[in-house]
Amino acid sequence: MPKKYDTPLLDQLEKGSYPSFVTEIKKAAVKHESANDLLGALEQCYKDKKTHWKHGGIVGVRGYGGGVIGRYSDIPDQFPGVAHFHTIRINQPSGFFYNTKALRELMDLWDHYGSGLTNFHGSTGDLVLLGTKTENLEPLFAEVSSRGWDLGGSGSAMRTPSCCVGPGRCEWSNIDTLDITYSITQEFQDEMHRPAFPYKYKFKTSGCAVDCIASIARADCSIIGTWKGDIRIDQDAVKWYAKNGMDINAEIINRCPTKCMSYDGKELQIANEDCSRCMHCIAKMTKALRPGKEKGATILIGSKAPFVVGALLSWVVVPFMKMEPPYTEIKELTRKIWEWWDEFGKNRERTGELIERKGMRNFLEAVGLDPQPAMIREPRRDPFYFWQPDELK
Amino acid sequence: MPKKYDTPLLDQLEKGSYPSFVTEIKKAAVKHESANDLLGALEQCYKDKKTHWKHGGIVGVRGYGGGVIGRYSDIPDQFPGVAHFHTIRINQPSGFFYNTKALRELMDLWDHYGSGLTNFHGSTGDLVLLGTKTENLEPLFAEVSSRGWDLGGSGSAMRTPSCCVGPGRCEWSNIDTLDITYSITQEFQDEMHRPAFPYKYKFKTSGCAVDCIASIARADCSIIGTWKGDIRIDQDAVKWYAKNGMDINAEIINRCPTKCMSYDGKELQIANEDCSRCMHCIAKMTKALRPGKEKGATILIGSKAPFVVGALLSWVVVPFMKMEPPYTEIKELTRKIWEWWDEFGKNRERTGELIERKGMRNFLEAVGLDPQPAMIREPRRDPFYFWQPDELK
Amino acid sequence: MSAPQRKTDIGPPHFKQFLPPVIQKNYASWKYHEVLRPGTMVHVAESGDKVWSVRMASPRLISTDFVRDVCDVADKYCDGFFRFTSRHNVEFLVSDESKVKPLEDDLKKRGMVMGGIGPRVSNIVHTQGWVHCHSAATDASGLVKVIMDEFIDYFTTKELPNKVRFAVACCTNMCGAVHCSDIALVGVHRKPPIPDHGRIPNMCEIPSTIASCPTGAISPDPAKKSLKINNDKCMYCGNCYSVCPALPISDPVNDGVAIVVGGKVTNLRTAPKFSKLVYPWLPNNPPKWPEVTNAVKGILEAYVKGAQKHERVGEWIDRIGWEKFFKLTKIPFTFQHIDDFTFARETFRTTAAFKW
Amino acid sequence: MSAPQRKTDIGPPHFKQFLPPVIQKNYASWKYHEVLRPGTMVHVAESGDKVWSVRMASPRLISTDFVRDVCDVADKYCDGFFRFTSRHNVEFLVSDESKVKPLEDDLKKRGMVMGGIGPRVSNIVHTQGWVHCHSAATDASGLVKVIMDEFIDYFTTKELPNKVRFAVACCTNMCGAVHCSDIALVGVHRKPPIPDHGRIPNMCEIPSTIASCPTGAISPDPAKKSLKINNDKCMYCGNCYSVCPALPISDPVNDGVAIVVGGKVTNLRTAPKFSKLVYPWLPNNPPKWPEVTNAVKGILEAYVKGAQKHERVGEWIDRIGWEKFFKLTKIPFTFQHIDDFTFARETFRTTAAFKW
Ligand code: SRM
Ligand code: SRM
Ligand code: SRM
Ligand code: SRM
Ligand code: SF4
Ligand code: SF4
Ligand code: SF4
Ligand code: SF4
Ligand code: SF4
Ligand code: SF4
Ligand code: SF4
Ligand code: SF4
């Protein structure tokens, strides 16, 4: 495909040391008219300082209500190659692991049916195939699905769950993030592909409180691994850190949020009943400290971007849940949450917003959880609160 | 007056080491039928576990709209002595200072016209004369006002300002709390006695951030003394504290919220540009540390009890204001605040609630204050905000 | 007596006439103070002058005779001057050291209680209760009396990690300083008000009554020219009753006392804090409220045991965490503790780091 | 190609087939790791086995050829396995130590950039921008490119006090992780949408559009079967446009970029935090956004200079206080910084203790 447009503005973004997305579009443009026109259309945006995309109509594949984001140019005559330019969300494998065989195959298919452009990955976690025409959707889906790939979520549905690398390569993972994510995804295929919720519902799973998948900020359900029992200390390794120049008091002891650690220059001690399992000491002294042995997860609900009532972080609803296959407890809890949300949630109201609107008690009772201090940062301040008839005399 | 009622429940509150209010009522009951009946009525409340008072109608003295709280018994036939039982709020002198001559005179008048019972003081600060009949209001007012006393505030008016002891006996006072309070009270006599506001408006003035009058929690306008310049250190006195057993590092240095202090066992140092003037170190080492020399006050607005939108603490609107007689700046600011509140405030809406409802910008612009970081604990989180036409292109 | 010439708008007497000479002389020139005994401190002026303050407890609700007694003492030892504190205690201001001891002895002889200075319990900021208020869900003076009796040692002698400020309010109007106190009691209702449709049309202004409800539970009932209350939305705050007397809400069986803790007012070390709910309801059991005093005792004892020097109750709890507070005090955690009011969201635990 | 048999609801491929043998063997049995170089770390298993991870930057918006290049490298050094990180970097997983150096050299030869491990800047979580989204108030990929170019040294070599996580979102829907990032850019509008009354009746559902407005600025316009916008209430968030395409809001002159800082996600030391506004608006100046990169530079430099080891941006600011942050960075403080949204009240300074 010959070069179609001069792109003086975008060309400036090919300089500099960091790899350039413009170079990538140009690479795809060699083979794809759509990528070529994307270049022109994007240059136009850079010139006009505004987007040239329109709202997508509903496009998709047969039997699915999601997985494809429809997108149309508002200047299709100028850039016919991107007149339609829909993205396809392919559900990524847990932990973003791949082998080259599978990926090469997928890339070949995408060069055949699409723009040759991708996102590895979208910020929800999908492997995003970026830009194709409506008529290519069905054949492409047939090809990829026959090879073991499926679409991710979009619309008012369960969204593609994602997770940190977890037991795949991390010494701190308290739970099998990869398996949990796979299992949840399989369990709720219908909820993912056929949007029937009030709004989107996201799962993210991290193996520990370091939260490398940012679950607490971006998932209606955040599953975060943790432990009970004492942090295991290897005093020899503590000495090794001291010898290698770590100022243990400044870097570790004084930064422990609960001040439950002490170090006398020789031994490091932890008053475990006061540890909040924040992971700081363990992360900074990985050779010396390891999490306790009884493993499980904290379940937090509700995080999302700012609309409508302001950004939310997920909050604790189950302080400790065992996480063993087939993960019945989290699946059952999820079904209960969805039932309640389906019943009371307004259109475009996320779960967290509904809990806020209806009150935590209403939510906890509906899903069968008891109140616990771990659910709150602090008790209410103003002394107005409800009583149920059976609590009164 | 002979004993009229058996009060077995109240009698139990005459035991114990702390002085008893029941004993006080009994003392008054010796002279006053109303106090005698109060005893009976109160015993009845203790028996029934509920109040026997009714909403007050509007009672008061000629030309005033406030200063008297009307109160009626809901069982007047049983306790005719408290059928009416209104309280009179006498504006206390600044700092609650008295001489015996003035007080004896006042007590004599109260024995003549009232129940012989008082509150020294009400929690707003008034000298409360507790319980009299409607017909006694006028004559009593004539007596007390001719002797230099006036009523305090009630209703939707400026309420009786109050203050800490300040320069009267405290080494930390940065402002003349007593004089400021007197001056404000005099300036706004009309606003105090003739309720014309949307709701109440309270002033409280503390000489420093220790805030011994709890102004930040209980005043629509909290005036809190502070300083600029370095904390003055007497190193000899520091040594004296060390010698007398103070663990300076544990008690002072480590508790400094900004960590701007250091102590090497000999000298105490303060990085004053990082000091937030919290008063901890000064309060705990009064001989060694003294506030800086340039004096003024921080003005904070808005605190109140929980209704309707939850309790408020006052927030900073003027980080530093010089406070010199005749205190023109605070008086002018107050008038501007009232003007704005009068215009936009709803019935029973306190100033702080209105600011919250209308937004801080609206308030600051109306009263002519520039935005400053000292006004906030942190900037907004969600990126939605207004622009005025003149800020745009 | 024939009535003298009334005056208006004269304001309070000028404070200057009430300042003892030593204070007039050293006004705004104090240098430091020392706490000599739990009820006695001395302030030293730049000039070297000294003033001794002897602090004496008062029940706040006092008779004219109590005031006269105080006046007698002040005449004898203080040149006729004295003051009250912002917490209703009496302070005798002595300029002559030789009079301090005799004054203290005299007060003791009169059965008076001295104390409250330094890291101790002081008098309780409180309200009218059944003594004078139509809105009271509990009594104030009675609660104050039983609490002060219980903790009298912390007033007269024993030290605490820091000052512990109590407050009592008899209803959620909170005329005391309940919302920012170390430990505070507040009278609460637990059932919705029952509209008196006969009286509402005459006694109450409909729109302002509707606006008074924090939860929007009140709506007009045009047929009756009255109001309707949505019982599901009402959380019994009683604010509507403050505005409209024909909405009685008190209920001897279900009214009671809530305990909130951890508030503070001073800016020392940490910012002023609101108190937080720890006991949603304890029964109204006058005259001694044993459940309430017991509960307060449990909290205070945990604080004394756990807090570091200079830590206020709220600072101690912030350091250990609320989950640990509930564990240590064994206070049952209930749905009522979880906020569902204006800022509920900000009180939820949005971190995976907490203590078991 | 004739279309093969389509399948539905099969879900993603099982991850196990994509795990390199060393990982399968040592699954869930890792002991510790060491960071060897800014782009290379080694994880050691209980068994003693090791896996080296070499991390390479990716622009995230990549061509199929880029993926094929990565596959070539993975085939050569990693038995055909590799992964992406949660921040879009590529990680080559090497089980044979002797292949690590050659792999790194190979990547260098290909012009690839390695880094991002440890206390450094890593790749930027971002969104579609003008490349693909109708809602974008700015571009995302372009901003990412200029920021990463600016701070490339902090990716490849230099250390910071701790990790600094950037995010970019092209509109306030914030598809990135803007609301909890150390430093984040977000595209913003500054003028109300202009209702297209011709299209609204057909394209938009009136009630859900009204409900989408956080400030209640939208009301029905029954005459036109359309909507009205109260311009005084609108703060240009664009949410209505997400719901109703006939409410265009973009404006080349007044759209721009806001900067929020101090957020974090991890629970280490301090609870996860929201980012806070520091630049309400900087102009959209593609392709280099010099005002934006400059502003970010100022913030990052102040952080590097002021923060203690292990302090994240938000932890540093919390320690010094926002008033000091504005002083140090010389960022002008404006009305926009003062919250007037849901929790405004909680952001006001309710203490007399603050720094000059
Ligand atoms: C592709 C992606 C950005 C990217 O470049 O990575 C994306 C793109 C869009 N998001 Fe998003 N969101 C993407 C991850 C997110 C995330 C991050 C996450 O999931 O971890 C968020 C914040 C977390 C959250 O869910 O709140 C996010 C919050 C939103 C919102 C606001 C939702 C809310 O409740 O506030 C919208 C608005 C909406 O739903 O109408 C939105 C809407 C959209 C739409 C569909 C715009 C629209 O209204 O039509 C965007 C389509 C862009 C396009 O043309 O392709 N997107 N969106 C991400 C999905 C890729 C993937 O599947 O992997
Ligand atoms: C007497 C006093 C309590 C006491 O025993 O000390 C008191 C007593 C009453 N207060 Fe109060 N308030 C008293 C100080 C306070 C304070 C504390 C303060 O001023 O420092 C507050 C909290 C701070 C504040 O202003 O928010 C306070 C907040 C209220 C409220 C709630 C106001 C609000 O905006 O939320 C009400 C309700 C109302 O205004 O209708 C209220 C209403 C009342 C009424 C008038 C009840 C009513 O609705 O009719 C009480 C009359 C009791 C009686 O029968 O005498 N009282 N009230 C205090 C005044 C004495 C004095 O003048 O010195
Ligand atoms: C007399 C009085 C002022 C007045 O105008 O009446 C007063 C007087 C002093 N206060 Fe106060 N405070 C007085 C009410 C308060 C209040 C207001 C309240 O309780 O409602 C507070 C705020 C309490 C709160 O945060 O809830 C208060 C918090 C303090 C503090 C802070 C303690 C802390 O570390 O948090 C100090 C400093 C200290 O004790 O080191 C202090 C220190 C002082 C000093 C040492 C100031 C001085 O140098 O003269 C005075 C004697 C201390 C003492 O009693 O231990 N004063 N003090 C008030 C006595 C009340 C009483 O009878 O007990
Ligand atoms: C590979 C990855 C997980 C994955 O499944 O892909 C990962 C891997 C590791 N993280 Fe992470 N983190 C990864 C995203 C995150 C995220 C999520 C994000 O950035 O969106 C966070 C939360 C950031 C935040 O709070 O905003 C994150 C916060 C951390 C921290 C906390 C640092 C701190 O002190 O605040 C540590 C611990 C440390 O560095 O000491 C950590 C530590 C680690 C360790 C050391 C864990 C281990 O033992 O293997 C890994 C290598 C560290 C490194 O890169 O410096 N990882 N890490 C992600 C790499 C992203 C990248 O390409 O740069
Ligand atoms: S979240 Fe925890 S378990 Fe997962 S990769 Fe990060 S540090 Fe490892
Ligand atoms: S995990 Fe966190 S709280 Fe626990 S000991 Fe380590 S640093 Fe302290
Ligand atoms: S507020 Fe400050 S100046 Fe006033 S009495 Fe208390 S410590 Fe002294
Ligand atoms: S006044 Fe407070 S902030 Fe300032 S040095 Fe003293 S303890 Fe530190
Ligand atoms: S707190 Fe309530 S009951 Fe008590 S005095 Fe105030 S208004 Fe009356
Ligand atoms: S008691 Fe409170 S919540 Fe109930 S109706 Fe009255 S004002 Fe509303
Ligand atoms: S942040 Fe906004 S503009 Fe960017 S991809 Fe998401 S919805 Fe589109
Ligand atoms: S842009 Fe936002 S604030 Fe303005 S009308 Fe639309 S939804 Fe409402």
Side-chain angles (χ1 to χ4, degrees), chain C residues 41-42 62 65 137 162 172 179 219 225 248 269 315 331:
Chain C
M41 61 184 161
V42 58
I62 53 183
D65 286 343
N162 199 338
T172 44
H179 59 300
S219 56
K225 291 194 178 161
R269 301 171 301 280
E315 293 171 321
I331 298 173

Side-chain angles (χ1 to χ4, degrees), chain A residues 209 216 224 226-229 257-258 273-278 298 300 309-316 318-320 355-356 359-361 364-365 369-388 391-393, chain C residues 172 174 186 188-191 214-215 232-237 253-254 258 260 274-281 283 319 322-324 326-327 333-356:
Chain A
I216 204 167
I224 300 186
T226 194
W227 70 89
K228 292 190 169 181
T258 63
E273 71 279 10
D274 279 330
C275 166
S276 66
R277 298 155 290 113
C278 82
T298 300
L300 306 94
V309 295
L312 301 184
L313 281 157
S314 289
W315 49 76
V316 176
V318 183
F320 192 76
I355 296 176
E356 206 191 352
M360 190 74 110
R361 177 177 196 152
L364 293 174
E365 289 190 330
L369 295 171
D370 287 332
Q372 293 187 46
M375 294 169 175
I376 57 158
R377 195 170 53 77
E378 58 186 38
R380 77 166 67 237
R381 61 174 87 142
D382 298 308
F384 324 135
Y385 30 85
F386 297 98
W387 295 93
Q388 298 302 318
E391 294 170 309
L392 299 185
K393 297 196 178 156
Chain C
T172 44
M174 300 218 303
V186 48
V188 292
H189 306 288
R190 296 199 298 167
K191 285 199 164 171
T215 61
D232 285 347
K233 279 190 165 179
C234 172
M235 31 66 163
Y236 344 106
C237 68
V253 182
N254 285 300
V260 295
F274 289 112
S275 325
K276 313 281 157 36
L277 183 72
V278 296
Y279 280 99
W281 184 83
R319 174 167 58 79
W322 282 97
E323 68 277 32
K324 182 100 187 201
F326 280 98
K327 200 171 167 183
F333 189 82
T334 67
F335 284 119
Q336 281 78 25
H337 289 101
I338 305 180
D339 201 352
D340 47 21
F341 198 48
T342 325
F343 291 125
R345 188 205 299 177
E346 298 290 284
T347 69
F348 297 162
R349 195 179 302 264
T350 53
T351 167
F354 54 86
K355 299 180 186 182
W356 295 131

Side-chain angles (χ1 to χ4, degrees), chain D residues 47-67:
Chain D
S47 69
D49 287 353
K50 293 182 177 180
V51 64
W52 286 263
S53 304
V54 176
R55 189 179 292 171
M56 178 189 103
S58 151
R60 189 183 87 131
L61 168 47
I62 53 183
S63 65
T64 47
D65 286 343
F66 185 100
V67 179

Side-chain angles (χ1 to χ4, degrees), chain B residues 164-166 170 172-173 206-208 210-212:
Chain B
C164 78
V165 65
C170 184
W172 303 323
S173 196
S206 277
C208 77
V210 174
D211 200 2
C212 295

Side-chain angles (χ1 to χ4, degrees), chain B residues 55-56 69-71 87 89 119 121-128 130 153 159-160 199-200 202 204 217-220 303-308 348 350 353, chain C residues 60 126-128 132-135 173-177 179 239 242-243:
Chain B
H55 256 77
I69 305 296
R71 191 61 79 226
T87 58
R89 296 180 174 174
N119 285 146
H121 295 86
S123 49
T124 305
D126 287 297
L127 189 177
V128 176
L130 199 71
R159 296 302 185 86
T160 311
Y199 205 4
K200 51 188 91 165
K202 296 180 178 175
K204 287 192 169 63
R218 308 189 294 167
D220 301 273
S303 62
K304 63 174 299 294
F307 291 120
V308 181
R348 287 178 69 88
R350 300 280 286 261
E353 293 171 314
Chain C
R60 191 184 85 130
H126 64 281
T127 49
Q128 295 297 329
H132 203 265
C133 197
H134 62 108
S135 189
N173 272 331
M174 300 218 303
C175 298
H179 59 300
N239 202 31
S242 283
V243 181

Side-chain angles (χ1 to χ4, degrees), chain D residues 151-324:
Chain D
F151 299 113
I152 190 74
D153 289 351
Y154 285 115
F155 182 80
T156 56
T157 43
K158 282 158 86 175
E159 285 202 3
L160 292 160
N162 198 338
K163 288 175 166 46
V164 172
R165 298 316 208 189
F166 283 99
V168 172
C170 21
C171 84
T172 42
N173 272 331
M174 300 218 302
C175 298
V178 162
H179 59 301
C180 294
S181 292
D182 293 281
I183 302 181
L185 315 179
V186 49
V188 292
H189 305 288
R190 295 198 298 166
K191 285 199 164 172
I194 300 163
D196 178 343
H197 297 299
R199 291 155 66 219
I200 288 173
N202 297 324
M203 293 184 85
C204 306
E205 214 211 315
I206 306 289
S208 60
T209 309
I210 291 173
S212 75
C213 179
T215 61
I218 309 179
S219 56
D221 186 341
K224 299 195 179 115
K225 291 194 176 158
S226 183
L227 296 164
K228 270 192 295 229
I229 293 187
N230 177 342
N231 284 357
D232 284 347
K233 278 189 165 181
C234 171
M235 31 66 164
Y236 344 107
C237 69
N239 201 31
C240 54
Y241 174 64
S242 284
V243 180
C244 166
L247 288 171
I249 189 171
S250 81
D251 171 334
V253 182
N254 285 300
D255 289 354
V257 177
I259 304 184
V260 296
V261 314
K264 77 191 268 275
V265 164
T266 60
N267 297 279
L268 281 73
R269 300 170 301 281
T270 53
K273 291 181 211 298
F274 289 112
S275 324
K276 314 282 158 33
L277 183 72
V278 295
Y279 280 99
W281 184 84
L282 290 167
N284 252 341
N285 253 339
K288 293 281 195 171
W289 284 272
E291 296 84 355
V292 176
T293 46
N294 243 324
V296 172
K297 206 173 154 191
I299 297 162
L300 197 79
E301 276 170 4
Y303 164 69
V304 168
K305 200 166 151 200
Q308 296 169 356
K309 191 164 182 185
H310 301 313
E311 267 179 350
R312 295 285 294 270
V313 171
E315 293 170 322
W316 161 63
I317 298 175
D318 281 354
R319 175 169 57 79
I320 65 169
W322 281 97
E323 69 276 33
K324 182 101 187 201

Side-chain angles (χ1 to χ4, degrees), chain B residues 307, chain C residues 191-193 209 212-218 229-230 233-241 247 249:
Chain B
F307 291 120
Chain C
K191 285 199 164 171
T209 310
S212 76
C213 179
T215 61
I218 310 179
I229 292 187
N230 177 343
K233 279 190 165 179
C234 172
M235 31 66 163
Y236 344 106
C237 68
N239 202 31
C240 54
Y241 174 64
L247 288 172
I249 188 171

